Amino acid sequence: MATTSSEEFSEVIERATSESIPNGELNLPVALEISDILRSRRIAPKDGMRCLKKRITNTTNNPNTQLSSWKLVEICIKNGGIPFLREICSREFM
């Protein structure tokens, strides 16, 4: 199992929540790939949470991208596994 760096993970997040996707939707196959990376722990749960948080804070000027970023967080919460849930529920993310 190959590990994924934070930079690579951020690039995958940007692909899933691309500005070119209309109406705040996201690229579902890529979003599920992200949740698989989190579940398989190819990236540390804390690093994954930080990458998602960074994407949310960097997209405040585009409401569609902001919405797709929150939808990605929802998918990751539902499919990312218990260690990722612990990090999302942490004070740092909230």
Side-chain angles (χ1 to χ4, degrees):
M1 161 172 46
T3 59
T4 304
S5 71
S6 293
E7 293 83 25
E8 293 169 336
F9 192 65
S10 292
E11 289 173 10
V12 177
I13 290 172
E14 287 180 26
R15 271 194 341 211
T17 60
S18 172
E19 292 180 4
S20 64
I21 303 172
N23 299 328
E25 294 301 318
L26 58 109
N27 187 335
L28 190 57
V30 177
L32 293 174
E33 177 186 337
I34 290 169
S35 66
D36 288 343
I37 290 171
L38 290 168
R39 184 179 271 297
S40 66
R41 295 191 192 175
R42 292 191 325 217
I43 189 167
K46 185 176 284 292
D47 292 338
M49 177 269 299
R50 286 180 178 158
C51 289
L52 286 167
K53 181 179 176 183
K54 181 179 172 185
R55 181 65 176 169
I56 290 167
T57 57
N58 289 341
T59 58
T60 55
N61 60 347
N62 186 336
N64 288 330
T65 310
Q66 181 92 61
L67 182 60
S68 64
S69 299
W70 282 111
K71 287 180 181 180
L72 178 60
V73 169
E74 179 184 13
I75 287 175
C76 291
I77 287 172
K78 291 178 179 176
N79 301 308
I82 300 298
F84 178 72
L85 276 177
R86 286 189 186 113
E87 290 302 325
I88 283 292
C89 293
S90 70
R91 178 167 283 188
E92 180 180 351
F93 186 79
M94 294 298 166

